Amino acid sequence: MKTRCKKKGATEMFLHIAKIYKTFEFDIAYNDFRNRYHEAAQYLDERDSLDRWTRAYCPKTRYNIMTTNRVESINARLLEERKLPIIALLDSLQKLASSLFVRYRHGSIAINTNLTPAIEGILRSRFTDAQGMQVFELGHLEFDVRKHGHSAIVDLQSKRCTCRVFYIDRIPCAHAIAASWLAKIDLYDLYSEYYSTMSWCMAYSETVYPVLEENELPRNINFPLVLPPLVEKRVGRRKQNRIPSIGEFSKR
Ligand SMILES: [Zn+2]
């Protein structure tokens, strides 16, 4: 989209509206975006349905992730290795995976909070937002939470709030934090277990071993016949970034 719409502010507004939680708020913001950046909106409409790039219309559980940065960074690390033959590529992948697992294993073991540092940071900021909110009990674990004339309905049992932050992120919103104080519920019971430091440690607890020489492998392994994958062959030459030759440089 950056290349399609060069108008100032388009990317920033796109990133902002993609992260909106409520569908009606998204609809209003996207209409405004469409009026300001018609070309960009047309490109988005033609390319992807709303459930692919908006938080508000995504039918799946996204947690608090709205980027593919991690995939991109792995791709960037393997830019050269991708050109290698398959065995050498697998060897590079093992080295990369192993070094990342070691780094994150050491990092996660050193943490002594219930939640990962990033989520503890979100908790602190929402904790501050929750200060001064008025909480009224409605029903069993249901609360009306108000601040500056705005009201939100929190259900601590189903872990939902009308602001949608609690359910989509699986992290309590400021309203839920305020409600938990009145309900005397431990805040740490309201998070998804995936945000816990324990889950973080578990994710990197396995060892990624290198592949041994063939004669060092156990004798009882059955080697299945591995056929090449069925792929559709693309027409034309494969696109690849390449370094210009000396001759090409001298023509410039
Ligand atoms: Zn809320």
Side-chain angles (χ1 to χ4, degrees):
M1 205 196 71
K2 265 185 185 172
T3 56
R4 299 266 171 151
C5 184
K6 306 248 186 239
K7 273 191 188 171
K8 207 174 167 213
T11 310
E12 288 77 10
M13 193 170 176
F14 164 71
L15 289 171
H16 167 71
I17 63 171
K19 291 175 186 170
I20 291 174
Y21 286 85
K22 289 183 180 177
T23 48
F24 79 90
E25 280 179 10
F26 170 83
D27 292 342
I28 294 167
Y30 194 35
N31 257 342
D32 187 18
F33 180 83
R34 197 188 299 280
N35 291 336
R36 290 183 200 204
Y37 311 107
H38 181 71
E39 268 178 29
Q42 197 179 1
Y43 169 69
L44 286 168
D45 290 342
E46 283 167 8
R47 190 179 157 78
D48 265 331
S49 53
L50 293 179
D51 58 338
R52 297 285 301 273
W53 64 272
T54 71
R55 178 179 261 155
Y57 282 100
C58 180
K60 309 267 181 179
T61 308
R62 296 198 72 112
Y63 295 89
N64 63 338
I65 306 293
M66 282 299 290
T67 71
T68 55
N69 286 357
R70 283 160 184 81
V71 181
E72 298 303 338
S73 85
I74 295 282
N75 265 344
R77 290 278 292 270
L78 295 171
L79 219 53
E80 286 305 309
E81 286 83 350
R82 280 190 306 192
K83 297 170 196 162
L84 296 173
I86 187 78
I87 300 295
L89 172 63
L90 287 173
D91 200 36
S92 303
L93 282 170
Q94 181 276 326
K95 278 188 194 136
L96 177 61
S98 186
S99 69
L100 290 175
F101 269 55
V102 168
R103 193 205 303 174
Y104 291 124
R105 193 182 305 132
H106 286 308
S108 58
I109 288 170
I111 301 299
N112 53 14
T113 49
N114 284 346
L115 301 165
T116 61
I119 305 303
E120 287 283 351
I122 293 173
L123 169 69
R124 273 196 293 276
S125 118
R126 289 187 186 167
F127 204 86
T128 311
D129 292 344
Q131 307 282 339
M133 285 184 173
Q134 288 182 296
V135 185
F136 305 95
E137 190 169 350
L138 295 174
H140 179 60
L141 295 176
E142 285 181 296
F143 301 88
D144 174 8
V145 184
R146 297 182 186 194
K147 192 174 185 182
H148 304 314
H150 293 286
S151 177
I153 308 296
V154 176
D155 182 345
L156 292 179
Q157 193 157 30
S158 65
K159 297 180 180 174
R160 285 170 192 263
C161 175
T162 46
C163 76
R164 298 191 78 208
V165 173
F166 194 6
Y167 184 70
I168 291 176
D169 286 1
R170 306 293 208 257
I171 304 170
C173 55
H175 311 111
I177 292 172
S180 76
W181 292 336
L182 188 70
K184 295 188 171 50
I185 282 183
D186 188 347
L187 206 50
Y188 290 112
D189 290 338
L190 300 175
Y191 283 82
S192 161
E193 60 174 314
Y194 296 127
Y195 294 121
S196 70
T197 304
M198 179 59 80
S199 295
W200 191 25
C201 290
M202 293 292 286
Y204 297 102
S205 62
E206 299 287 335
T207 306
V208 186
Y209 292 104
V211 178
L212 301 170
E213 295 289 325
E214 199 175 330
N215 54 12
E216 290 177 285
L217 293 172
R219 296 244 171 253
N220 55 355
I221 293 180
N222 288 325
F223 290 99
L225 179 65
V226 181
L227 296 170
L230 294 169
V231 287
E232 219 172 284
K233 208 172 175 187
R234 287 188 194 167
V235 183
R237 201 162 66 87
R238 207 172 151 188
K239 271 190 191 170
Q240 193 180 63
N241 290 338
R242 62 187 193 89
I243 301 160
S245 67
I246 295 168
E248 282 176 277
F249 268 123
S250 59
K251 282 180 208 159
R252 290 179 179 186

